[in-house]
Amino acid sequence: MTQTPEDLRYTEEHEWVKRIAPTRVRVGITDYAQSQLGDVVFVQLPEIDKDVAVEESIAEVESTKSVSDIYAPLAAKVVAVNEELVQQPETLNTDPYGDGWLFELEVADAAGLDATLGELLDSAGYQGVIGG
């Protein structure tokens, strides 16, 4: 069974979002996404300080099966990327909710982030998307 931790929010594009500060989130791909991709061999991360729009394609994950775009789950600024994935892309397969995070985004205010996170799927909602 696919893991969908309760403390995360999810998108229908198979990204997870975790609030790590009042105005900051960490983003990665779900366990379901990594299992569908197969062995991840390459990750292209977004540029730090880039302003991104919601649902904008900002990163790419390449596996032995396909190449998948990663979309921004909210409008924000990229404030950190997981450089470890450049050298060890397989971490997305082994630890998608931990060391396999992709990037961090920051927004202007906490109230706006509250509202945006409230619009994303919870664990049960994401299970519905993937047929869990």
Side-chain angles (χ1 to χ4, degrees), residues 4 10 16 48 52 54 56 66 69 80-81 83 88 95 102 108 114 124 129 131:
T4 53
Y10 300 89
W16 58 261
I48 292 179
V52 297
V54 66
E56 177 183 348
S66 67
D69 286 327
V81 296
E83 296 288 350
Q88 297 176 306
D95 193 10
L102 293 167
D114 288 343
V129 169

Side-chain angles (χ1 to χ4, degrees), residues 110-131:
L113 184 55
D114 288 343
T116 301
L117 291 175
E119 294 171 6
L120 297 177
L121 300 167
D122 62 9
S123 179
Y126 182 66
Q127 282 288 332
V129 169
I130 63 174

Side-chain angles (χ1 to χ4, degrees), residues 55-85:
E55 297 180 3
E56 177 183 348
S57 174
I58 63 168
E60 209 171 75
V61 174
E62 184 177 332
S63 72
T64 54
K65 293 181 183 179
S66 67
V67 176
S68 296
D69 286 327
I70 306 299
Y71 300 95
L74 50 112
K77 179 184 287 261
V78 177
V79 292
V81 296
N82 187 351
E83 296 288 350
E84 299 293 319
L85 292 179

